[in-house]
């Protein structure tokens, strides 16, 4: 089997992107961005009360979730299913190249969708803020530019959740005992530090660093498990 090649990975990503978002689908893509941005802004304005900070933060979280998480989900389903009589796993590309292209395409499509939705949502919110919120602001308050709670952490969380979602989607490729053992250990690794904080009086800063280390470890585990699941799915 040939080794990983960046050029082949890029070709596979282009093929999948064209099939999913090309062929006359640009108009539908723009409509999706408009409707998604408008509906999220309306929903967040209704549920956040009079807090502008909470509203903007909720909008950022939903935009990131829908842009990256559901893009990742769609790409995985596209690779698993036959669409247009083409099975992605039968293309002359190595498994490693397909696997890397999944994350590359997710980041590329998700970023494009996020930028488009962010621009439209900022326009909607600049019109809505004077009408719905009474807080005084010094100039325009913009999404992802200090209006909410930050971008990078939310993107990392979205990819982390998407990665474990992939493991769950491929759960039939693992033994039940191994899969549920991993799930239980994962949950315990996040719950135990909290119990230690309340039971032993440990400072909250320890939980922050512990969760960071735990998340890195489980991210590596999820990457390995997902790759092995793809290998079994291919054959």
């Amino acid at each position: 089997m040939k080794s990983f090649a960046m050029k082949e990975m890029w070709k596979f990503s282009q093929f999948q992107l064209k099939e999913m978002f090309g062929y006359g689908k640009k108009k539908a893509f723009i409509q999706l961005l408009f409707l998604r941005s408008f509906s999220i802004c309306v929903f967040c304005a209704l549920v956040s009360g009079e807090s502008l900070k909470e509203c903007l933060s909720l909008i950022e979280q939903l935009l990131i979730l829908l842009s990256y998480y559901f893009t990742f989900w769609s790409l995985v389903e596209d690779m698993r299913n036959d669409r247009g009589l083409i099975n992605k796993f039968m293309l002359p590309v190595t498994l490693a190249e397909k696997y890397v292209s999944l994350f590359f395409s997710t980041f590329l499509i998700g970023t494009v969708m996020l930028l488009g939705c962010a621009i439209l949502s900022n326009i909607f919110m600049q019109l809505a803020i004077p009408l719905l919120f009474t807080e005084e602001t010094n100039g325009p308050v913009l999404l992802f530019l200090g209006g909410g709670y930050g971008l990078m952490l939310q993107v990392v969380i979205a990819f982390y959740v998407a990665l474990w979602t992939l493991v769950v989607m491929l759960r039939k490729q693992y033994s039940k005992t191994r899969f549920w053992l991993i799930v239980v250990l994962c949950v315990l690794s996040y719950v135990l530090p909290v119990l230690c904080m309340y039971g032993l009086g440990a400072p909250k800063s320890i939980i922050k660093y512990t969760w960071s280390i735990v998340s890195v470890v489980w991210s590596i585990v999820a990457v390995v498990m997902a790759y092995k699941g793809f290998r079994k799915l291919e054959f």
Side-chain angles (χ1 to χ4, degrees):
M1 178 175 289
K2 64 178 182 179
S3 59
F4 178 84
M6 184 65 68
K7 184 178 180 180
E8 295 300 324
M9 184 276 292
W10 171 237
K11 287 182 178 179
F12 181 78
S13 296
Q14 285 182 309
F15 176 82
Q16 192 173 33
L17 296 179
K18 288 180 180 178
E19 185 181 61
M20 294 184 65
F21 300 99
Y23 310 120
K25 298 180 181 179
K26 294 180 180 179
K27 183 178 180 180
F29 181 74
I30 295 174
Q31 291 174 342
L32 173 64
L33 294 182
F34 183 88
L35 292 174
R36 176 179 293 181
S37 302
F38 181 76
S39 59
I40 287 177
C41 289
V42 172
F43 172 78
C44 294
L46 292 176
V47 302
S48 61
E50 297 182 356
S51 175
L52 178 58
K53 185 82 171 180
E54 293 295 332
C55 179
L56 295 177
S57 177
L58 184 57
I59 291 174
E60 290 178 356
Q61 293 172 21
L62 290 179
L63 288 180
I64 291 173
L65 179 65
L66 292 175
S67 296
Y68 290 106
Y69 181 79
F70 287 105
T71 296
F72 185 85
W73 185 294
S74 298
L75 288 169
V76 172
E77 286 299 320
D78 181 69
M79 292 180 70
R80 294 174 64 191
N81 300 327
D82 290 341
R83 301 183 60 179
L85 301 180
I86 297 177
N87 188 337
K88 301 302 182 303
F89 284 108
M90 299 303 294
L91 296 175
V93 185
T94 66
L95 180 64
E97 291 160 359
K98 297 170 188 174
Y99 188 61
V100 174
S101 74
L102 174 63
F103 296 95
F104 178 79
S105 298
T106 297
F107 181 78
L108 183 62
I109 299 173
T111 301
V112 172
M113 296 186 73
L114 182 61
L115 288 174
C117 287
I119 293 173
L120 292 172
S121 297
N122 273 315
I123 295 174
F124 293 145
M125 290 307 298
Q126 296 312 307
L127 298 174
I129 288 175
L131 301 175
L132 302 177
F133 300 94
T134 58
E135 296 181 28
E136 295 184 1
T137 58
N138 297 322
V141 180
L142 302 176
L143 293 164
F144 304 111
L145 293 176
Y149 289 118
L151 172 63
M152 292 307 300
L153 178 60
Q154 297 180 54
V155 173
V156 171
I157 293 175
F159 269 88
Y160 182 71
V161 174
L163 187 58
W164 274 106
T165 300
L166 176 59
V167 174
V168 174
M169 292 173 70
L170 298 173
R171 63 187 180 279
K172 293 183 179 180
Q173 310 304 321
Y174 319 111
S175 65
K176 290 184 178 180
T177 302
R178 180 184 179 188
F179 175 77
W180 287 110
L181 178 62
I182 292 294
V183 171
V184 171
L185 290 176
C186 182
V187 173
L188 288 177
S189 65
Y190 285 100
V191 173
L192 288 178
V194 178
L195 296 179
C196 291
M197 181 187 72
Y198 288 103
L200 303 177
K204 292 183 178 180
S205 59
I206 293 181
I207 292 184
K208 178 181 178 181
Y209 294 116
T210 302
W211 277 1
S212 298
I213 296 173
V214 168
S215 297
V216 171
V217 172
W218 283 118
S219 296
I220 297 173
V221 172
V223 168
V224 174
M225 288 185 65
Y227 183 79
K228 290 183 177 180
F230 261 116
R231 181 179 294 278
K232 293 181 180 180
L233 191 65
E234 184 179 35
F235 298 105

